[in-house]
Amino acid sequence: MEAVIRVEGLGKTYKSGLVALDHVDLEVKRGEIFALLGPNGAGKTTLISVVCGIVNPTRGRVLVDGHDVVREYKAARKKIGLVPQELATDAFESVVDTVTFSRGLFGKAPNPGHIEQVLKSLSLWDKRKSKIIELSGGMKRRVLIAKALAHEPEILFLDEPTAGVDVELRRDMWKLIGRLRETGVTIILTTHYIEEAEEMADRVGVIDKGRLILVEEKHALMRKLGKRKLTLTLAEPLAAVPAALGEWDLSLADEGHSLVYTFDAKAERTGIPSLLRKMQEEGIAFSDLDASKSSLEDIFVDLVRKDGR
Ligand SMILES: Nc1ncnc2c1ncn2[C@@H]1O[C@H](COP(=O)(O)OP(=O)(O)OP(=O)(O)O)[C@@H](O)[C@H]1O
């Protein structure tokens, strides 16, 4: 698929000397949902801000649909809708005026039909005449999305779209993002909820300390790095993993009441039958067992921990 965003050798050093981005290369494909994951302070917002032309890069360049974000700022920015973390808008304006104004900022001709459709899709139509200040936090979040969609962008950036929203609104937003993708919009989101990336993303990028440490198709990532776990509830608790079971990757949990065996999700031979045989030989009985797969969250935590070493 064709790249709609090209990030080449991007670096950002803030005046304080802090290196927020360190040689980032990335291509985002047209029509995909790309999730950018990373711990606090990793550089996610800085990267989005450079791509959106809000922060100037120190090195490298960004092309948005072929337009350089610095030299051809207007043309590049017109393609992009940005949903920031915080609402910076006139609290005393009405919803419909705020959203209509956002469209005008990009030099687009008025289109009340489009604004109506955006407001309806975000369940804001009934509130269109309300002042922003009168809305709940979740509704303000919807207004941010409506503003970003007002000028019919081809690329939508969502910075922490569901931070602090309730479960219902989160599900609604996921549905909305899914519908936008169906219309061909490219979506880039940052999130701390790995579940969100697991639910929606086609590809995942992990950023840590300003470096993009991994970009991978989500399912491939989960296949490649996923681990499976077998948890055995022991009949009698153990103080330590017995030496006789040293050849398996075992740990104790639940104050010695559970034995956890971690193994490669893609391995042909799991090692479970031999482990169970050995346990029987050693007289270690279990009363229950449970198998699980690692989530994207486990994989992410593991990656960032390894990067820190
Ligand atoms: N204007 C600025 N001046 C100086 N340093 C900054 C500025 N903006 C961000 N930083 C620093 O750059 C680093 C990256 O910040 P950034 O906001 O991009 O991270 P993030 O991944 O979005 O974090 P979070 O998940 O907490 O939102 C941090 O160390 C931050 O303190």
Side-chain angles (χ1 to χ4, degrees):
M1 228 188 302
E2 173 208 2
V4 70
I5 296 173
R6 262 178 222 283
V7 174
E8 295 170 356
L10 200 65
K12 175 66 189 177
T13 306
Y14 283 110
K15 280 204 190 88
S16 60
L18 188 123
V19 180
L21 295 175
D22 185 7
H23 208 98
V24 173
D25 291 307
L26 174 68
E27 283 190 357
V28 178
K29 298 170 193 166
R30 196 182 293 279
E32 77 171 331
I33 298 185
F34 187 89
L36 194 58
L37 308 179
N40 283 131
K44 302 179 295 292
T45 303
T46 303
L47 178 56
I48 288 187
S49 303
V50 174
V51 177
C52 295
I54 298 165
V55 166
N56 275 329
T58 315
R59 265 158 264 107
R61 64 170 189 166
V62 178
L63 299 179
V64 174
D65 213 7
H67 302 288
D68 186 297
V69 292
V70 177
R71 284 186 294 113
E72 299 165 88
Y73 169 74
K74 266 199 156 169
R77 187 63 182 84
K78 206 170 177 169
K79 305 263 172 187
I80 296 175
L82 170 63
V83 184
Q85 287 181 15
E86 304 276 329
L87 188 70
T89 193
D90 191 341
F92 297 99
E93 289 279 352
S94 71
V95 169
V96 68
D97 287 350
T98 301
V99 175
T100 303
F101 179 73
S102 285
R103 180 180 174 91
L105 283 180
F106 293 94
K108 286 252 177 173
N111 184 345
H114 175 68
I115 303 292
E116 178 175 341
Q117 185 217 323
V118 166
L119 292 179
K120 283 185 171 161
S121 74
L122 286 156
S123 309
L124 281 172
W125 186 241
D126 293 344
K127 297 277 175 188
R128 66 190 179 281
K129 290 182 185 145
S130 302
K131 293 190 178 102
I132 305 288
I133 198 168
E134 298 162 357
L135 302 179
S136 72
M139 283 172 189
K140 285 184 188 142
R141 196 53 80 86
R142 290 171 202 251
V143 173
L144 282 176
I145 301 181
K147 276 164 62 82
L149 293 174
H151 65 288
E152 299 165 69
E154 290 166 37
I155 304 162
L156 186 66
F157 280 92
L158 296 141
D159 200 359
E160 294 283 342
T162 62
V165 309
D166 67 18
V167 177
E168 203 179 337
L169 180 53
R170 179 168 306 158
R171 295 268 160 205
D172 278 359
M173 287 203 180
W174 289 359
K175 272 189 223 147
L176 174 78
I177 291 169
R179 285 203 302 273
L180 283 170
R181 192 247 294 264
E182 278 166 26
T183 66
V185 175
T186 307
I187 293 156
I188 296 120
L189 59 101
T190 71
T191 182
H192 283 117
Y193 297 99
I194 314 274
E195 188 199 348
E196 194 154 87
E198 193 166 339
E199 171 85 18
M200 287 194 302
D202 299 305
R203 285 195 309 149
V204 173
V206 177
I207 188 165
D208 191 27
K209 301 186 199 83
R211 288 180 306 116
L212 200 56
I213 57 175
L214 173 139
V215 175
E216 184 86 76
E217 198 263 324
K218 178 185 67 190
H219 293 297
L221 177 67
M222 297 192 67
R223 263 200 315 275
K224 222 197 265 178
L225 298 178
K227 292 265 198 289
R228 282 161 69 195
K229 253 190 212 166
L230 177 70
T231 303
L232 299 158
T233 308
L234 300 172
E236 297 287 334
L238 288 172
V241 175
L245 304 180
E247 65 181 274
W248 293 271
D249 179 3
L250 295 170
S251 59
L252 288 172
D254 193 17
E255 296 179 333
H257 287 87
S258 306
L259 189 64
V260 181
Y261 173 42
T262 307
F263 56 100
D264 198 336
K266 62 183 190 305
E268 269 178 33
R269 301 173 73 93
T270 62
I272 293 173
S274 52
L275 170 66
L276 297 185
R277 262 198 310 275
K278 190 72 180 172
M279 284 176 65
Q280 199 176 17
E281 275 172 39
E282 297 293 314
I284 305 167
F286 61 92
S287 56
D288 198 3
L289 88 183
D290 180 58
S292 64
K293 249 191 216 167
S294 56
S295 62
L296 188 57
E297 174 143 9
D298 301 327
I299 296 172
F300 167 72
V301 169
D302 217 36
L303 270 170
V304 172
R305 211 184 43 218
K306 279 193 191 124
D307 189 55
R309 276 195 215 133

